Amino acid sequence: MIKENLRDLIDAGMAKIPADIVIKNGQLVNVTSSEIYDADVAIYRSRIVATGDCEAYIGENTQIIDAQGKFLCPGLIDGHLHIECSKMSMTSFAKAVVPCGTTSIVSGLDQYLVTAGLEGVRDVLDEISEGPLKVFWGLPFTTPYTLPKSTVGFDVTPEVHKEVQKWPEVFGVWETVSEFVENKHDGVMGAIETAQENNLPVFGCAPMTTGERLNGILSAGVRLDHESYDHKEAMEKIRKGMFLLVRESSISHFLNENMKVVTHINPRVARRVSFCTDDVIPSEILENGHMDKLIRMTIAAGVDPITAIQMGSLNSAEAYRIDHLVGSISPGKIADILFVDDLREFSIDKVIAKGKLVVNEGKMAVDLKAPARSETLSSRLKIPAITAEDMKVRTDIDADRVKVLSMEVDYDVPFVRKRRDVELKVENGVVLPDVENDVLYATVVERFGKNGNKPVAFVSGWKLKGGAMASSKAPDDNNIMCIGTNSEDMALAINYIAENGGGQVIVKDGEILDFIHLPICGITSDIEPEAMAAAERHMKEVARELGCDLPDPVFYMCCLQITAIPDYAMTDLGAVDFHTQQTFDPVLGKTE
């Protein structure tokens, strides 16, 4: 994080050193006092040093920026974000979201961590330090996040926590999944105990957690949560002392439901509510915005603009205990300032981040260059060639038809999969998919060269009429996820990704229909946001031509590896039952 000379900052604050920038003729949106009033703002290097009448701070070389009556709002904070799910590198991601007013995010950088280890994260942190977007890093509570434990490239252990929690970039323990706390997982207990010793907050992940389970999570010291599936769950968490992050992602839409805690139950709880997106894609950002979109949605839901802006800035900063650095336009804080034409429309004209004008007239005003990529961040998918024979479900049951459990995706909430019992044909010991009845093969192929796992199970909800699709970007493990109507196309899709060092692909009848190259750890790219958005839109169109009507077919597929949400998931160990936290055989037995 930025560090300025303390003595110089004091002198600058007392107007003994001229400011580098003074913003004049602005209307300051003061989120600490819930007021709007005329005020100037003085900036010295990366910090705000004065607000109000700033004539005394103007020197011979001070740059004057005329706000022309615009509202001056604090930079917005995304309180929980897996940046890598955007498929964009940190530099590309900054180009997409900083014009939307996002100047800070809280992230675990977890997908870089599981693919490239601490050395890779160090590279990414160095990249972040050179750009306008700040990342407050939470060291993941453990990796992998899965129960039972799946295969990743790097494990976060209690020993890692004892060393890395002391890094200056670490601001807490990230995404502490409730099941690990309930099970009193040894490694997670060690991470929390180390955090207590270091006075670091513990960030939670407690979907559908209420009652006695919630009490247990809170007793472990979990401070906040970003996954409430209805407003009653959200309100219980607030009543029991949690900070509530309302999630509105590209594929999970909870803002309007969760905001009822403010609009329908008690407006006074608003100061305990902030925002996050969790997972966003560039096409959604460029079409609708990022954190600015959530401000607009909250105002449209009936919340007044100052309160909505508090939720997007100060509230999040306080929840994460970073309000000494960001969250308000106040002396001593990092100079992250938005020039907004209209608070209800929340249209952003200029952005100052880290004390520099980086957005003007809604466009990036600085040329951000991605660094040369090290060998550490280069994709190394250690996968032997996959054959069609590898992509089949076999059974020892002597029968023409068998009962099978297929994991059916929820159209509205892609993290949720429900049980679907089906009957499938058996030929020569192979259980066949049933394309007409929407029962497809699914596999997760281990990519780190540790065990070669490649189990095959069944999924429903994609409605593909032919072909296969695969991705090496698949949180939380980023092993290769693939679903398909036939084994041959699945093998082709997986091999193509491995040969090209990572990406997302759709194939049909032995032909590559579409490919997005993700050469950084097999999960991100330095491609420009507009180009990535165009690639996403084209891939959605290709998937729809094959019959899939899900909002984002490939992204929904990628979420299959997430085991922290009921009822079913798929990892390199096989199909997983959330409730037993064990793998299971998808073939249940003979038909009656």
Side-chain angles (χ1 to χ4, degrees), residues 205-264:
C205 175
M208 307 179 195
T209 303
T210 59
E212 293 172 351
R213 293 181 62 223
L214 178 59
N215 295 336
I217 301 305
L218 288 163
S219 296
V222 174
R223 181 177 175 85
L224 51 85
D225 176 66
H226 69 283
E227 293 215 33
S228 293
Y229 279 66
D230 62 49
H231 73 278
K232 293 179 181 178
E233 176 188 349
M235 193 65 196
E236 181 181 352
K237 289 171 178 174
I238 293 174
R239 284 171 173 160
K240 291 183 175 179
M242 264 187 160
F243 287 89
L244 175 72
L245 276 73
V246 173
R247 177 173 70 183
E248 182 71 19
S249 78
S250 294
I251 53 174
S252 298
H253 307 291
F254 290 100
L255 188 143
N256 288 328
E257 170 64 23
N258 284 183
M259 200 54 63
K260 291 177 182 176
V261 300
V262 177
T263 59
H264 288 58

Side-chain angles (χ1 to χ4, degrees), residues 542-556:
V542 172
R544 291 194 178 104
E545 288 172 0
L546 295 181
C548 184
D549 63 355
L550 291 172
D552 192 332
V554 176
F555 204 161
Y556 272 52

Side-chain angles (χ1 to χ4, degrees), residues 492-569:
L492 172 61
I494 295 164
N495 289 333
Y496 192 82
I497 284 177
E499 291 163 4
N500 286 276
Q504 297 181 328
V505 68
I506 298 178
V507 307
K508 184 175 185 290
D509 297 333
E511 179 185 355
I512 306 299
L513 301 183
D514 200 14
F515 178 62
I516 298 175
H517 192 205
L518 302 174
I520 305 172
C521 297
I523 56 177
T524 63
S525 169
D526 285 321
I527 190 173
E528 292 295 316
E530 294 78 8
M532 183 64 81
E536 285 178 343
R537 286 190 288 265
H538 186 263
M539 185 160 278
K540 288 180 187 179
E541 291 170 3
V542 172
R544 291 194 178 104
E545 288 172 0
L546 295 181
C548 184
D549 63 355
L550 291 172
D552 192 332
V554 176
F555 204 161
Y556 272 52
M557 176 191 69
C558 293
C559 295
L560 274 165
Q561 291 189 51
I562 299 172
T563 67
I565 299 172
D567 288 325
Y568 299 98

Side-chain angles (χ1 to χ4, degrees), residues 434-454:
D434 187 343
V435 176
E436 291 305 312
N437 288 308
D438 187 27
V439 184
L440 310 180
Y441 277 154
T443 187
V444 177
V445 177
E446 187 269 320
R447 59 166 279 192
F448 302 104
K450 294 187 175 183
N451 51 46
N453 289 345
K454 44 184 179 292

Side-chain angles (χ1 to χ4, degrees), residues 43-62:
I43 300 169
Y44 175 75
R45 295 188 178 175
S46 68
R47 302 284 177 147
I48 298 164
V49 291
T51 60
D53 183 353
C54 293
E55 287 297 322
Y57 294 82
I58 298 174
E60 182 180 350
N61 298 315
T62 301

Side-chain angles (χ1 to χ4, degrees), residues 150 157 228 256 284-285 334:
S150 54
T157 64
S228 293
N256 288 328
E284 170 71 18
I285 296 169
I334 296 171

